[in-house]
Amino acid sequence: MYARGIPRPTLERLPRYLRALRRHEDAGEVFISSSRLGAEAGIEEFQVRKDLTHVEVTGRPSKGYPVGDLIAALRKLLGLTGQRDAIVVGAGRLGVALSQYPGFANYGFKIVGLFDSDPGKVGSVIGGLRVMPVDSMLEYLSHEGIAMAIITVPAEDAQGVADQLLEGGIKGIWNFAPVALDVPPDVYVRNEDLAIGLASLSYHVSRHRDR
Amino acid sequence: MYARGIPRPTLERLPRYLRALRRHEDAGEVFISSSRLGAEAGIEEFQVRKDLTHVEVTGRPSKGYPVGDLIAALRKLLGLTGQRDAIVVGAGRLGVALSQYPGFANYGFKIVGLFDSDPGKVGSVIGGLRVMPVDSMLEYLSHEGIAMAIITVPAEDAQGVADQLLEGGIKGIWNFAPVALDVPPDVYVRNEDLAIGLASLSYHVSRHRDR
DNA sequence: CTATGTGAAAAAGTTCACAGCG
DNA sequence: CGCTGTGAACTTTTTCACATAG
């Protein structure tokens, strides 16, 4: 019912509801129950109801939640209505993959700039984006008013890049470099160390063997 | 002190300790304190100590934790000593990026197979890996005894791929397709919807604007 | 009779504070 | 002393159960 201070785990689940809801909208369904929504998102139904408590939408007993309204409310809540442009710093394989990742468009996100420090990469056009020199990043940001950036540079360069992003007014950083970034508290950093994903698989698989 | 049932958040932090510890080992340091380790991993020191409770290593008052022993224990705990080969299904940009991601090698992980259903991709060699047809995957798995797989195919193909992986004896799946997979309970699935990352940034950035 | 919304209970995880060991 | 290890307090999140609304 309120929009502030949503629990982190809830926040991670909201996009999954949104995804499932869109399929229902496409199918022309007007209401969806928490149990149905949960089944599609892989989440328990009472968790769904609890999560939706944080959204400005109320369900109807015997019917469920209004699909269209819920989508609109989730989009608003997740900030998917405002400025959604982001840049990628680091035109390696991962940076390139992310800069063209089709899944982002589904949420209205657009990668509008791709930067690299390698002169051999700068100037080339990758998937419709021209690779720009990192040196020009600050100037670029000062013109464009972009709030989100993705870092896919090597660990040793990440802090330097982050410093420039901050100077350029970036308020949210998705950091794929395996290093802890030092930023002021008003800037949100989401760390995504891909190796942790494999390590996690590895742990579970090895426990599996032990049994 | 025990190795079973480690809390999920702890498990996600262990690889970060491992990363920091290796830097210390390289620097020739024999002991490290929880405060130092925490600072490098970006984690509070009491959290570090609590987490290390789950590891078969004990620190020494006034000195800290033995770096070498701790590394060995973490590696063992995370299953980084056994079979660490994995395959990638889906040779799109993301699949290719992951199949060559240098960060995996740091943990001893190796991507040994790359599969795709597109005949136009099959047969080409990408970063030393030959793209193999998905049709041959089951046979491949039955020979190789691989336990981990990464799915980067489109959402609509993901369940079909997962079914084949299960049949091939895969016990851990890292799923980048934005869909909930249906698998038996003894198979571990880690879902990684990249759009959630951007949505999360977006939420925090938009709250930032509101203030 | 079905499905929401929510207090209350339970579980999980974090933080603290400090006893105790080298 | 310095730094670990951990019980206990606290906080957050999940789970449950059920009154309530259409």
Side-chain angles (χ1 to χ4, degrees), chain A residues 153-171:
Chain A
V153 301
E156 55 271 29
D157 302 332
Q159 184 63 55
V161 167
D163 291 342
Q164 288 179 69
L165 291 174
L166 297 177
E167 206 178 330
I170 291 287
K171 294 301 178 193

Side-chain angles (χ1 to χ4, degrees), chain B residues 6 10-18 51 55 74 77-78:
Chain B
I6 295 180
T10 295
L11 203 54
E12 305 273 310
R13 287 186 293 262
L14 295 182
R16 298 168 64 179
Y17 300 138
L18 189 49
D51 286 342
V55 179
L74 285 174
L77 185 58
L78 292 173

Side-chain angles (χ1 to χ4, degrees), chain A residues 198 201-202 204-209, chain B residues 82-87 110 112 140-141 144-150 165-166 168-174 186-188:
Chain A
L198 256 193
L201 278 199
S202 170
H204 288 281
V205 166
S206 68
R207 294 196 68 199
H208 189 274
R209 267 200 308 272
Chain B
Q83 214 266 192
R84 278 158 294 159
D85 291 347
I87 63 168
K110 192 173 177 193
V112 295
Y140 178 91
L141 290 173
E144 304 291 337
I146 291 167
M148 303 187 290
I150 304 175
L165 292 173
L166 298 176
I170 291 288
K171 294 301 176 193
I173 296 175
W174 194 5
D186 67 317
V187 173
Y188 175 73

Side-chain angles (χ1 to χ4, degrees), chain A residues 15 43 62 73 85 113 131 133-135 154-155 159 167 187 190 199 210:
Chain A
I43 292 167
S62 300
D85 290 347
V131 179
V134 168
D135 296 341
Q159 184 63 55
E167 206 178 330
V187 174
R190 183 187 173 94
D210 295 346

Side-chain angles (χ1 to χ4, degrees), chain B residues 10 13 45-55 65:
Chain B
T10 295
R13 287 186 293 262
E45 59 173 296
F46 37 77
Q47 185 70 76
V48 173
R49 291 203 294 276
K50 203 60 138 183
D51 286 342
L52 295 186
T53 277
H54 301 279
V55 179
Y65 297 87

Side-chain angles (χ1 to χ4, degrees), chain A residues 92-139:
Chain A
R93 280 178 293 266
L94 182 59
V96 168
L98 291 174
S99 70
Q100 298 182 250
Y101 185 63
F104 293 156
N106 288 333
Y107 289 83
F109 293 119
K110 192 173 177 194
I111 306 300
V112 294
L114 178 58
F115 294 87
D116 203 289
S117 59
D118 179 354
K121 283 177 182 162
V122 168
S124 62
V125 176
I126 300 175
L129 282 178
R130 180 174 300 278
V131 179
M132 293 178 277
V134 168
D135 296 341
S136 70
M137 194 167 69
L138 189 51
E139 197 202 5

Side-chain angles (χ1 to χ4, degrees), chain A residues 19 78-79 174 192-193 202, chain B residues 19 78-79 174 192-194 202:
Chain A
R19 206 166 69 194
L78 291 172
W174 195 4
E192 194 91 41
D193 184 347
S202 170
Chain B
R19 206 165 69 194
L78 292 173
W174 194 5
E192 194 91 40
D193 184 348
L194 292 172
S202 170

